[in-house]
Amino acid sequence: MIPVKRTIAVLVSLVILLAGFQSIACAEGANPHAAQWVDEAMAASLDSITRIDKAGLLYEMHCDYAYDGNPVINMLLNKFGQYDAGCSAFTTWNETGECFLTARNYDYRHKDPDGAYTGLNVAVHCAPEGKYKSLGIADACWLSLAGGAYYAGVLDDGTTDTSLAVLLPYLCVDGINEKGVSISILKLDVKDGETAVDQQESGKIAISISVLARYILDNCATVEEAVAMAQKYNIRNTAGMDFHLFVTDATGASAVLEWRYNQLTVTDTNAVTNFYVGYDDAEDRYKDGVCTEKAAKLDNTVREYHYGYGHGYHRFTGMVSALERYIDFTQEGYMTKMTPAQAMRILSVAAQDPGTEATSMTQYSVIYDAQHGSATVWLGQDYETSYNLSIQ
């Protein structure tokens, strides 16, 4: 996940360096995209941005430009850092055992220029040549760190420059591809005395975890392939923060990838929040000397879980406790079966109202269907209203 650092010098240098690119006029009625490096294909994609909900919390964009290896995109990405986010996720089969579902809350407390809570999420459709089609949801609020103000409703207000939205394929915090591989990025805390990931193995290119997530959506058909992809790169942090990556596929496989101590750890699990799942060193979490969350473990559960350092224990125990009641004991592996509506209710239990932490406040809840390449989205804990999206 990769917003830019706030620096006028960076933006000025980009304009100077890329001045040779012609500015493309936007389609009638669309927002301007006046950056000189916006080419015709980028402009067409930016013109495809469409509002989905009335409040302008969710948009849709069809990405028809070559973002992979694009020198302009790479230059912009190199100026980006990491950002903070809470989040919860779990997996289950549907009630018939025919469709594998990945359920996910995306949590972060954004505010607009007036101080009101806001969100700006974009469903990004990607179909890179020779690779897999995908649908991902990007948090476009982070574009504000590149200059300007991005919050609910601005992507079709007729005035906000949308040029930076070309980065959205690399800002996806979750998504699914046509093979049924799903990814979710979740925040981790760095323990006192430890450092955030900064792998430096010789011969490997360094990338952030959100770039890895994009590579997985574009190139991987299984969890196994995703793990192999992760092993090809050095994973880095650029703002002292760590994340782990929840990867699932259409066979029912699910695993969390973590880079603690600069080592990749892969742990099979059906649920994850914001503590390490590959370790057992749970501790109460303190902020300014105050215990903000107590580490807890579940006893007598069918599945065994690790409880490493971090936060989100209360959300995790709530999800896992709910999942236990849906186990089909006639099947191997203690698989769970439930309707999408039941999965949605578990997400609602793990949802967060705006609190004292930046990682509180559920922006949206989503359930990805691996067999159908689809997503059902609920915004801001309004579980009466859903929006259906598809890769196709």
Side-chain angles (χ1 to χ4, degrees):
M1 299 156 35
I2 27 187
V4 287
K5 296 181 179 178
R6 202 169 302 175
T7 153
I8 295 175
V10 166
L11 298 177
V12 170
S13 65
L14 284 173
V15 170
I16 294 173
L17 187 58
L18 301 172
F21 284 83
Q22 289 236 336
S23 201
I24 306 296
C26 59
E28 184 177 355
N31 274 29
H33 31 73
Q36 295 183 352
W37 39 262
V38 173
D39 62 25
E40 187 173 354
M42 291 178 182
S45 296
L46 295 174
D47 287 341
S48 76
I49 294 175
T50 305
R51 184 185 296 218
I52 294 179
D53 70 309
K54 291 182 180 179
L57 295 170
L58 183 63
Y59 288 79
E60 199 166 14
M61 182 178 89
H62 290 268
C63 179
D64 294 321
Y65 54 93
Y67 52 82
D68 186 18
N70 185 299
V72 174
I73 301 296
N74 286 347
M75 185 173 301
L76 291 170
L77 285 174
N78 285 335
K79 307 301 180 183
F80 268 58
Q82 302 278 8
Y83 60 79
D84 218 349
C87 313
S88 308
F90 68 89
T91 61
T92 183
W93 290 91
N94 71 342
E95 68 275 21
T96 64
E98 297 173 329
C99 298
F100 194 61
L101 310 177
T102 300
R104 140 79 156 200
N105 285 338
Y106 175 65
D107 304 334
Y108 191 82
R109 190 183 59 187
H110 285 299
K111 293 184 178 180
D112 67 18
D114 295 325
Y117 295 124
T118 188
L120 181 60
N121 301 291
V122 182
V124 183
H125 297 265
C126 293
E129 185 175 356
K131 300 181 181 181
Y132 299 133
K133 297 178 182 177
S134 67
L135 167 68
I137 301 181
D139 182 347
C141 281
W142 294 110
L143 294 175
S144 296
L145 298 180
Y150 294 84
Y151 50 91
V154 304
L155 294 184
D156 57 353
D157 62 5
T159 60
T160 300
D161 192 314
T162 59
S163 298
L164 286 171
V166 299
L167 286 172
L168 291 180
Y170 292 102
L171 290 179
C172 291
V173 293
D174 46 67
I176 191 169
N177 70 16
E178 64 179 288
K179 292 296 184 180
V181 167
S182 173
I183 57 96
S184 300
I185 298 174
L186 303 97
K187 175 69 165 56
L188 286 170
D189 298 312
V190 179
K191 190 175 183 179
D192 288 345
E194 297 180 9
T195 57
V197 61
D198 186 17
Q199 293 182 311
Q200 298 187 25
E201 186 175 338
S202 177
K204 291 185 178 180
I205 296 172
I207 61 173
S208 68
I209 196 168
S210 63
V211 175
L212 173 62
R214 169 49 53 194
Y215 289 172
I216 289 172
L217 288 177
D218 287 351
N219 298 283
C220 298
T222 63
V223 169
E224 183 178 5
E225 290 182 6
V227 172
M229 175 71 71
Q231 292 170 333
K232 293 180 180 179
Y233 297 94
N234 285 325
I235 302 301
R236 67 181 182 186
N237 83 86
T238 53
M241 288 183 282
D242 268 351
F243 302 84
H244 51 188
L245 185 63
F246 190 42
V247 186
T248 72
D249 67 32
T251 70
S254 58
V256 171
L257 281 60
E258 298 170 338
W259 289 264
R260 199 174 188 185
Y261 313 120
N262 282 331
Q263 299 296 316
L264 172 61
T265 299
V266 180
T267 306
D268 293 338
T269 186
N270 65 334
V272 60
T273 56
N274 305 115
F275 59 86
Y276 291 97
V277 299
Y279 300 83
D280 261 327
D281 60 342
E283 299 176 13
D284 293 342
R285 185 168 180 261
Y286 289 83
K287 182 179 181 181
D288 299 326
V290 177
C291 186
T292 59
E293 183 176 28
K294 289 185 177 293
K297 288 194 175 186
L298 285 173
D299 294 324
N300 302 317
T301 53
V302 170
R303 296 187 62 151
E304 180 180 353
Y305 299 97
H306 292 286
Y307 290 77
Y309 181 78
H311 71 286
Y313 293 102
H314 62 294
R315 286 178 279 120
F316 185 84
T317 54
M319 288 193 307
V320 172
S321 297
L323 288 171
E324 288 271 309
R325 66 176 286 201
Y326 294 102
I327 291 175
D328 182 351
F329 288 95
T330 69
Q331 302 291 323
E332 293 183 5
Y334 303 120
M335 63 187 290
T336 57
K337 290 182 180 179
M338 67 185 74
T339 66
Q342 289 167 329
M344 180 270 290
R345 283 197 288 273
I346 296 177
L347 285 177
S348 71
V349 170
Q352 300 187 79
D353 293 331
T356 58
E357 298 289 329
T359 55
S360 63
M361 183 173 151
T362 298
Q363 290 285 330
Y364 62 83
S365 302
V366 59
I367 296 178
Y368 291 104
D369 183 325
Q371 273 63 33
H372 298 99
S374 61
T376 304
V377 183
W378 296 266
L379 299 172
Q381 298 188 57
D382 176 7
Y383 294 106
E384 299 298 319
T385 306
S386 62
Y387 303 91
N388 298 316
L389 303 169
S390 176
I391 293 175
Q392 303 302 325

